[in-house]
Amino acid sequence: MKALILGGDGFCGWPTSLHFAANGCEVLIVDNLSRREIMERLSAPSLTPIRPIERRVEAAQDIGNISFKFCDIANDPEQFKAILAGFNADVIVHFAEQRSAPYSMLGGTERSYTVNNNLSGTHNLFSLLVELKQYPHIVHLGTMGVYGYNDDFGEIPEGYLPITVKQTNKDIVIPYPTNPGSIYHMTKCLDHTLMQFYAKNWGFRITDLHQGIVWGTDTDLTASHEDLINRFDYDGEYGTVLNRFILQAQIGHPLTVYGSGGQARAFIHIQDTARCVYLAAGCPPEVGAPIQVFNQISEVHTVGDLARLLHKQTGVDIAYHNNPRKEAAENSLKVSNQGLCSLGFEPICLADNLMAEISATVGKYENRLSRSTIQSRARW
Ligand code: USQ
């Protein structure tokens, strides 16, 4: 299988690229290295010393066939078209988006950047494929946040909601109503609408993976060589909550719970991200079918429960902050992940003790830590 991985230098993209290559795929990573640039601008480096992409790719040759091309898919459609034409992928995995909710809410510049980058990149992809008459399976990284995080309709199904229309008494299935909580999440909702149109009009086979909050840092492959190490973000904008809490617990920093901690969210380990994307890539929907949606999640926890678990394990204090975000103080959440489970996904859960592994990573690179980046700057 020829796999084009857009955004393959990022936190999820890099381990996924390695996983595809280890499974015999010919992998081409296309990336504009914007995540590295934003990290410099925010003065918020990865805790782990990630290597330049060229060195990563060189070290990855022991795992499989991986190459890299620099391209800004949102702003350089000509070069992007040449890459698509030259590679002729069987599957394209699309991670190439600005993925932080707090970053997208920092100010006007970040709002515009997130909207322009995410939507132009996604649109260029489909529009150029139409021009080239190429119809590979597209796997798009979406987010659980497109649904909002409530149980108004019971357990969150995979993308579609069966309803009875009052006026006609007919039973139909509709796309699950979107309810984004940030500009970033909004772009993923808009991506979905854009993709629906391309699937309807040109028969694209599309899978949208509505992923939960990723935790962990390494997979077996990224841990197999220092030059393959994955990034670890813990700053207020790009660090996700559980990774932040594990780092904070390790360094004795009071856990930064926003609000009461009653926010329930879905989680998935980084190793499972790579596995799930690969499973989904091998199972495209039929031509002419609606977008196939899988909820890419392993388990649901409240932020407060995670903090209490770490407090119990390490004795670290919990600090309750005024919530810098506009979100429900508490919610209940149930999410179906039947689609990926039916393809053989066996979720790694917190109970599997991988937190110890992350603590070891934090211990190893603690000298690189910048405490001043821990507090979030975004307010909304
Ligand atoms: N939170 C805290 N303390 C912190 C950081 C976060 O209490 O120090 C809380 C937030 O208020 C929120 C929850 O933890 O209620 C999750 O925050 P997060 O920063 O870990 O995750 P989020 O902003 O939702 O975004 C992340 C990824 C995004 C992905 C999304 C999946 O950055 O790319 O799409 O998780 S989901 O949240 O399921 O939509």
Side-chain angles (χ1 to χ4, degrees):
M1 184 160 68
K2 291 180 86 172
L4 181 60
I5 315 270
L6 307 174
D9 184 51
F11 173 56
C12 293
W14 176 241
T16 303
S17 300
L18 293 177
H19 188 76
F20 273 64
N23 281 282
C25 297
E26 180 183 343
V27 173
L28 173 61
I29 291 174
V30 167
D31 201 298
N32 67 354
L33 309 183
S34 58
R35 181 67 194 93
R36 293 177 188 250
E37 196 261 317
I38 291 175
M39 163 179 107
E40 294 293 328
R41 201 150 18 90
L42 292 177
S43 302
S46 161
L47 183 75
T48 49
I50 55 167
R51 306 299 199 251
I53 183 68
E54 294 78 14
R55 199 156 145 201
R56 278 183 154 183
V57 166
E58 200 184 316
Q61 299 312 309
D62 289 342
I63 288 174
N65 182 349
I66 302 192
S67 53
F68 165 72
K69 278 195 164 55
F70 180 95
C71 179
D72 183 340
I73 67 164
N75 294 303
D76 195 348
E78 258 179 47
Q79 199 206 349
F80 188 25
K81 187 176 175 183
I83 291 172
L84 291 169
F87 190 66
N88 199 10
D90 299 306
V91 61
I92 299 182
V93 183
H94 181 21
F95 289 105
E97 304 198 43
Q98 193 298 101
R99 67 98 180 140
S100 156
Y103 183 79
S104 76
M105 300 299 287
L106 272 174
T109 307
E110 291 80 8
R111 286 195 292 276
S112 295
Y113 168 70
T114 303
V115 170
N116 294 336
N117 179 72
N118 293 5
L119 292 173
S120 295
T122 304
H123 187 259
N124 282 344
L125 170 63
F126 285 96
S127 179
L128 293 170
L129 289 171
V130 169
E131 278 183 36
L132 292 166
K133 297 193 171 49
Q134 287 185 3
Y135 301 97
H137 177 204
I138 308 291
V139 179
H140 172 261
L141 262 291
T143 172
M144 281 301 299
V146 299
Y147 302 116
Y149 311 95
N150 59 51
D151 61 354
D152 288 356
F153 304 113
E155 181 184 64
I156 296 186
E158 302 197 276
Y160 299 92
L161 186 67
I163 61 161
T164 304
V165 181
K166 261 191 187 168
Q167 291 90 327
T168 59
N169 208 24
K170 274 196 178 147
D171 292 332
I172 60 167
V173 173
I174 59 166
Y176 198 94
T178 57
N179 185 12
S182 73
I183 291 285
Y184 153 73
H185 288 102
M186 183 192 77
T187 62
K188 296 287 183 172
C189 301
L190 296 173
D191 272 354
H192 191 87
T193 304
L194 187 159
M195 294 191 298
Q196 261 173 0
F197 180 73
Y198 273 90
K200 184 179 73 173
N201 208 57
W202 282 283
F204 276 97
R205 295 163 304 147
I206 303 173
T207 299
D208 203 358
L209 298 173
H210 289 169
Q211 184 167 250
I213 298 170
V214 181
W215 67 285
T217 176
D218 274 313
T219 64
D220 294 347
L221 293 170
T222 63
S224 67
H225 191 291
E226 273 287 306
D227 286 353
L228 300 177
I229 195 165
N230 201 17
R231 56 180 310 118
F232 185 94
D233 296 304
Y234 58 92
D235 62 285
E237 272 56 62
Y238 278 89
T240 49
V241 65
L242 181 52
N243 279 0
R244 277 166 60 74
F245 283 1
I246 296 170
L247 173 131
Q248 291 166 4
Q250 172 84 14
I251 64 169
H253 185 290
L255 304 179
T256 54
V257 173
Y258 298 161
S260 64
Q263 309 95 309
R265 294 289 183 273
F267 291 84
I268 183 166
H269 189 268
I270 185 71
Q271 180 113 24
D272 280 344
T273 292
R275 289 187 185 135
C276 285
V277 176
Y278 182 70
L279 279 176
C283 282
E286 298 291 320
V287 173
I291 297 176
Q292 166 172 263
V293 178
F294 293 138
N295 292 337
Q296 190 161 295
I297 69 114
S298 299
E299 57 193 323
V300 172
H301 297 281
T302 67
V303 166
D305 281 346
L306 295 175
R308 283 185 286 276
L309 182 70
L310 282 160
H311 167 73
K312 208 167 140 198
Q313 285 183 6
T314 65
V316 71
D317 288 340
I318 301 178
Y320 291 91
H321 294 249
N322 287 334
N323 197 334
R325 308 182 183 191
K326 209 169 275 167
E327 60 184 5
E330 47 189 68
N331 62 287
S332 58
L333 185 64
K334 274 200 182 137
V335 183
S336 168
N337 62 357
Q338 270 317 294
L340 285 162
C341 289
S342 72
L343 301 181
F345 171 42
E346 289 173 11
I348 291 171
C349 292
L350 255 69
D352 296 334
N353 205 25
L354 281 169
M355 285 197 274
E357 200 177 289
I358 303 169
S359 299
T361 302
V362 174
K364 187 167 174 193
Y365 297 109
E366 206 174 326
N367 61 334
R368 291 172 47 88
L369 185 87
S370 163
R371 280 179 180 253
S372 62
T373 67
I374 289 178
Q375 297 305 333
S376 178
R377 295 169 239 191
R379 301 271 176 281
W380 72 91

